[in-house]
Amino acid sequence: MSNYKDEVHLKVQEKIYPPEDIVKRAWIKDYDEVYKRSIEDREGFWAEVAEELHWFRKWDKVLEWNFPYAKWFVGGKTNITYNALDRHIKNGKGDKIAYIYVDEDGNEEKVTYSELLEKVNALANGLKRLGLKKGDRVSIYMPNSIEAVVSMLACARIGVIHSVVFAGFSEGALHMRIDDAKASAVITATYTKRRGRKIPLLPTVEKAIKDLDYIKNVIVWDRDKEGVTDKDDKYVDLNRLIEENKGECSPEEMDSEDPLFILYTSGTTGKPKGVLHTTGGYMVNTYYTAKIVFDLHEDDIYWCTADIGWITGHSYIVYAPLTNGVTSVIMEGVPVYPHPGIWWEYVDKYRVNIFYTAPTAIRMLMRFGDEIPAKYDLSSLRILGSVGEPINPEAWHWYYEHIGRKRCVIVDTWWQTETGSHMITTIPSYPMKPGKAGKPFFTIEAAVVDKNGNELPPNTVGYLVIKNPWPSMLRTCWGNPERYEKYWKEIDNVYNADDLASIDEDGYIMIVGRADDVLSVAGHRIGTMEVESAIVEHPDVVEAAVIGKPDPIKGQKIKAFVVLKVGVEPSDQLKKEIQNTVREILGPIAIPEEIDFVDKLPKTRSGKIMRRVLRAQELGLEVGDLSTLED
Ligand code: ATP
Ligand code: MG
């Protein structure tokens, strides 16, 4: 039985060294030295980072920790939009491109830092004219676009709290999020483009707010100038609002702890939580993690393929790339339309240096074969990022070889809506281990513990916890402080991430699943992700999800749901082969006794596998909140 542990950790013990030119260029070359210093003086470390940004008034105290409530840069006053825009313009970079927007049809629009500020100021003035003021909430239900970024920044400019809702959500999910935040206005568009179609957004908003009489305005980006806002004074045309309110809008001097936004978690493990982030700490932490993890430099072209509707979009499409002053690509559309090489075509065309995406997308694109990326010149790439789920070693190697051409580093970034920025991640200057996220970011003390908070020996699966406060940590759950306190009180007064992990002898952390999904077979705690990754090693498999089913002898037995490569027929023979693959990689303890072949897996709209749906179906249980299920 010890077999299981030895073998699984051997498997992902492989170390791949970063190319020398990348290490040479990296901001941080010696992780260990900097990490040590950061732990010895956490507050001093963050203060030094905060000095790189602009404050209208400097903080009096870096951290006030009144368990489990933290205040960062106490007494400091700043505005994140000032650091994202004005600061660069004052430094003579106003003509630099902030965003290159592209859609599926190759339509392109570029906006410079100066132009972006002009729009943000105008919309901020417009929002004020509509009566919005600091502390009010505005829901944003917009396509992935420059207009969406402008909407978020216009709110932040005047201290309005934005709550972005992914534009793929239906009216019920949208209603819940607007109503929970009690938004006084909604910013939306007539439609978003997806797979060559125009998906209407405005009608969904109208249904979602039917009974919500506290909504004073609906601001609409009328993309085809249909005059949709003419019907009623409540409706306001976004572009007209910008046009009519041009001019300076001085940034609201925000207290470091003033709220910046509310964002709901993905809902993978249950009902989404309304996470509240504040201004100063979030700004400093996102700025610095992007700088170090993506090794951002002045002339970089950066592309994060997430949607602004997720935390990855907030932190690493909007705020951090702007505070770092780089040029970003932002795309409206899906990775496979009009062809499954569209992303690589744009990487080639725009000479993208840093590319950040999710394992679900990589696994999907792998299905179409290696020939597709091979057609493009991807030599501009330097750093590849992964986020959202554990990246299976199989997918990792494909990304490394077929996209990175073995010349890039892969940074596997573990973090959450709640954490605001990267927490455990590879950085470009130390060796990568495929399938392991990497080491804790500076100042972060992570541990793997049992239910009582006792640290577990290396290579043992347990709860992943963070032992200290960090600047971009969530401050509360909107309207639900008890839920917030639960993060810190469930396990021995440390932050419980609700994920399972193990740490190896070198300090690399492997995320092996969700706490809710843990498998317990004959007394062994096995992460779902470990078994899934082993299944995916079979050449005919692209994706897998496993759950535990009650078993009178072993406690639980493992059942797997498996998606095969296009054109492969399911068979009993194949089941045996898959079981053998798992036996070889993880040992007999982890073999799935039951295997179902399926066409697809239930996922959240952000692309994460929802094992709880499979489990509920299989065991005839309540499935719980389904508002975030893909379809
Ligand atoms: P909910 O909290 O509502 O169940 P969610 O946890 O999926 O939804 P997010 O905040 O979007 O909501 O996702 C954070 C989670 O995503 C992490 O807790 C982790 O399980 C997973 N995750 C993110 N990045 C990584 C990564 N690099 N490796 C492994 N897992 C990751
Ligand atoms: Mg979560």
Side-chain angles (χ1 to χ4, degrees), residues 1 4 51 53 139 186 204 234 401 406 416 500 502:
M1 294 231 173
Y4 154 68
E51 297 279 2
L53 297 166
S139 293
V186 181
T204 308
K234 183 170 176 175
E401 278 161 40
K406 300 190 179 179
Q416 309 176 301
L500 297 173
S502 65

Side-chain angles (χ1 to χ4, degrees), residues 265-273 311 386-391 412-418 437 497 499 511 513-514 606 608:
T265 58
S266 290
T268 313
T269 58
K271 192 175 183 317
K273 292 143 279 194
I311 190 66
S386 174
V387 61
E389 283 182 299
I391 177 164
D412 181 1
T413 62
W414 176 89
W415 58 297
Q416 309 176 301
T417 310
E418 294 90 333
D499 279 343
I511 311 298
R514 305 296 192 127
S606 55
K608 295 164 196 265

Side-chain angles (χ1 to χ4, degrees), residues 263 265 273 275 277 282 311-312 315-316 387-388 413-424 464 466 470 472-474 487 495-499 514 608:
L263 181 65
T265 58
K273 292 143 279 194
V275 165
H277 282 288
Y282 176 83
I311 190 66
T312 304
S315 300
Y316 300 110
V387 61
T413 62
W414 176 89
W415 58 297
Q416 309 176 301
T417 310
E418 294 90 333
T419 70
S421 41
H422 301 150
M423 299 292 281
I424 294 168
L464 175 63
I466 309 294
W470 63 98
S472 65
M473 62 189 259
L474 79 164
Y487 285 103
Y495 175 81
N496 173 14
D498 262 330
D499 279 343
R514 305 296 192 127
K608 295 164 196 265

Side-chain angles (χ1 to χ4, degrees), residues 614-631:
L614 294 169
R615 199 166 45 228
Q617 263 172 5
E618 188 68 27
L619 306 176
L621 307 170
E622 268 310 314
V623 323
D625 185 284
L626 280 183
S627 66
T628 63
L629 185 66
E630 208 172 36
D631 45 21

Side-chain angles (χ1 to χ4, degrees), residues 354-629:
I354 298 128
F355 183 78
Y356 190 29
T357 195
T360 181
I362 296 166
R363 291 191 298 255
M364 186 208 302
L365 294 171
M366 271 170 75
R367 285 185 86 171
F368 293 95
D370 312 345
E371 323 75 72
I372 294 186
K375 286 191 241 167
Y376 301 96
D377 175 2
L378 305 181
S379 61
S380 57
L381 289 171
R382 200 171 78 241
I383 290 167
L384 304 175
S386 174
V387 61
E389 283 182 299
I391 177 164
N392 323 87
E394 183 77 8
W396 194 101
H397 280 285
W398 189 84
Y399 199 22
Y400 183 70
E401 278 161 40
H402 297 284
I403 308 306
R405 313 267 159 92
K406 300 190 179 179
R407 293 177 304 90
C408 297
V409 301
I410 295 184
V411 291
D412 181 1
T413 62
W414 176 89
W415 58 297
Q416 309 176 301
T417 310
E418 294 90 333
T419 70
S421 41
H422 301 150
M423 299 292 281
I424 294 168
T425 174
T426 331
I427 65 170
S429 51
Y430 68 71
M432 304 160 259
K433 290 193 186 183
K436 294 190 175 178
K439 305 185 201 183
F441 193 74
F442 304 123
T443 75
I444 302 299
E445 279 183 273
V448 169
V449 302
D450 67 15
K451 270 210 165 77
N452 303 316
N454 303 307
E455 285 194 32
L456 297 171
N459 299 327
T460 310
V461 173
Y463 297 96
L464 175 63
V465 299
I466 309 294
K467 300 203 271 186
N468 59 281
W470 63 98
S472 65
M473 62 189 259
L474 79 164
R475 297 305 195 261
T476 191
C477 292
W478 188 253
N480 190 356
E482 301 78 33
R483 181 64 192 87
Y484 170 73
E485 296 196 359
K486 196 169 157 229
Y487 285 103
W488 289 92
K489 292 187 171 166
E490 219 163 31
I491 301 180
D492 195 34
N493 296 353
V494 289
Y495 175 81
N496 173 14
D498 262 330
D499 279 343
L500 297 173
S502 65
I503 306 187
D504 72 14
E505 306 74 8
D506 300 334
Y508 284 68
I509 298 178
M510 176 163 66
I511 311 298
V512 302
R514 305 296 192 127
D516 288 356
D517 295 336
V518 64
L519 305 167
S520 175
V521 183
H524 290 258
R525 295 168 66 74
I526 305 177
T528 46
M529 175 265 179
E530 287 182 289
V531 183
E532 290 158 5
S533 289
I535 296 173
V536 174
E537 294 278 322
H538 189 287
D540 291 339
V541 174
V542 275
E543 205 159 40
V546 307
I547 59 166
K549 288 179 73 172
D551 179 276
I553 297 158
K554 293 190 282 186
Q556 272 187 329
K557 64 181 172 191
I558 300 175
K559 166 148 192 175
F561 299 84
V562 172
V563 181
L564 295 172
K565 283 212 172 119
V566 183
V568 178
E569 286 299 315
S571 67
D572 284 344
Q573 173 59 24
L574 196 52
K575 281 189 192 174
K576 287 211 185 77
E577 284 180 28
I578 291 170
Q579 287 169 328
N580 279 333
T581 306
V582 176
R583 185 198 312 272
E584 273 167 36
I585 297 171
L586 298 179
I589 192 87
I591 294 176
E593 283 184 38
E594 292 178 32
I595 296 179
D596 277 5
F597 293 109
V598 295
D599 291 333
K600 56 180 181 176
L601 299 171
K603 289 188 181 168
T604 62
R605 279 163 218 262
S606 55
K608 295 164 196 265
I609 299 171
M610 290 172 88
R611 295 171 194 81
R612 68 180 163 100
V613 172
L614 294 169
R615 199 166 45 228
Q617 263 172 5
E618 188 68 27
L619 306 176
L621 307 170
E622 268 310 314
V623 323
D625 185 284
L626 280 183
S627 66
T628 63
L629 185 66

